[in-house]
Amino acid sequence: MFYNHSIKLELQKAHFIQQRRVVTHNSLKCRNFALCIMRKDLLFFTSTELIRVKADAVVFITADGNYSAITMADGSDYVLTLQLGQIEKRISEVVEEGDNRFIRIGKSLIINREFITFINPSRQKLTLSDCRTFRHDVSASREALKSLKELIEKETDK
């Protein structure tokens, strides 16, 4: 009985996913249903997991081989069986034009630029914080941090 029920659920799920290849929500189209921003939520799912998080609460995403870890403002971490390049591609497919809140820094880090509080390229140190409840110190290459610092300075000058 349970076996037949689980097969039925899997078939319904496959049919639902097949029908939802292009999702429209508030004129936002998502070509890959594995990641959609809906009401400012990021939805990640693979064959074994589903994670939905608020986009503005994602502090940074790090990579370790075929896995990526999302670190949230509330201190929680979620590990995904997705490479960082896959996450970056999906985010770029979904975010609205001009939304540059997520930026890739080096080979293994995507950050939410809204949380940048300190950059020191010579010490390879980047601090991400909301200045109230959390603080994360991450490291990246000197070149990546120097480019990030220059980008922010350039944007500030405008």
Side-chain angles (χ1 to χ4, degrees):
M1 177 82 177
F2 177 76
Y3 180 74
N4 288 336
H5 181 69
S6 66
I7 291 174
K8 184 177 179 182
L9 286 176
E10 287 298 316
L11 289 172
Q12 289 173 344
K13 178 181 165 187
H15 180 69
F16 173 76
I17 291 170
Q18 188 175 25
Q19 288 182 330
R20 304 289 278 176
R21 290 287 182 219
V22 177
V23 175
T24 303
H25 181 72
N26 294 337
S27 73
L28 176 65
K29 291 187 178 180
C30 176
R31 300 223 179 274
N32 188 339
F33 193 66
L35 168 74
C36 290
I37 292 185
M38 301 173 105
R39 299 185 200 131
K40 300 195 180 187
D41 287 355
L42 296 175
L43 177 66
F44 299 90
F45 72 80
T46 64
S47 61
T48 59
E49 57 198 5
L50 179 130
I51 299 170
R52 187 174 94 186
V53 296
K54 300 286 183 200
D56 58 357
V58 174
V59 180
F60 63 95
I61 306 167
T62 56
D64 185 15
N66 291 331
Y67 297 91
S68 297
I70 301 174
T71 300
M72 305 297 296
D74 67 0
S76 59
D77 292 303
Y78 299 99
V79 177
L80 298 168
T81 55
L82 294 170
Q83 295 176 343
L84 195 63
Q86 295 170 304
I87 292 174
E88 179 184 30
K89 181 181 177 197
R90 291 176 182 176
I91 289 173
S92 69
E93 290 172 351
V94 175
V95 295
E96 294 178 16
E97 191 172 326
D99 182 356
N100 57 358
R101 112 182 65 186
F102 294 104
I103 185 168
R104 181 137 184 197
I105 306 296
K107 295 178 186 175
S108 61
L109 184 63
I110 295 174
I111 62 166
N112 184 336
R113 63 191 301 149
E114 295 173 7
F115 294 116
I116 297 172
T117 55
F118 179 77
I119 302 171
N120 187 327
S122 62
R123 291 175 43 206
Q124 295 179 286
K125 184 176 178 184
L126 171 66
T127 301
L128 303 167
S129 175
D130 69 350
C131 298
R132 284 184 228 119
T133 58
F134 70 89
R135 174 187 169 124
H136 297 282
D137 293 322
V138 295
S139 62
S141 71
R142 285 184 179 88
E143 297 79 25
L145 291 176
K146 183 178 178 185
S147 297
L148 177 63
K149 183 177 175 284
E150 290 171 356
L151 174 69
I152 292 173
E153 289 172 346
K154 197 181 299 183
E155 290 176 352
T156 306
D157 290 340
K158 288 184 180 180

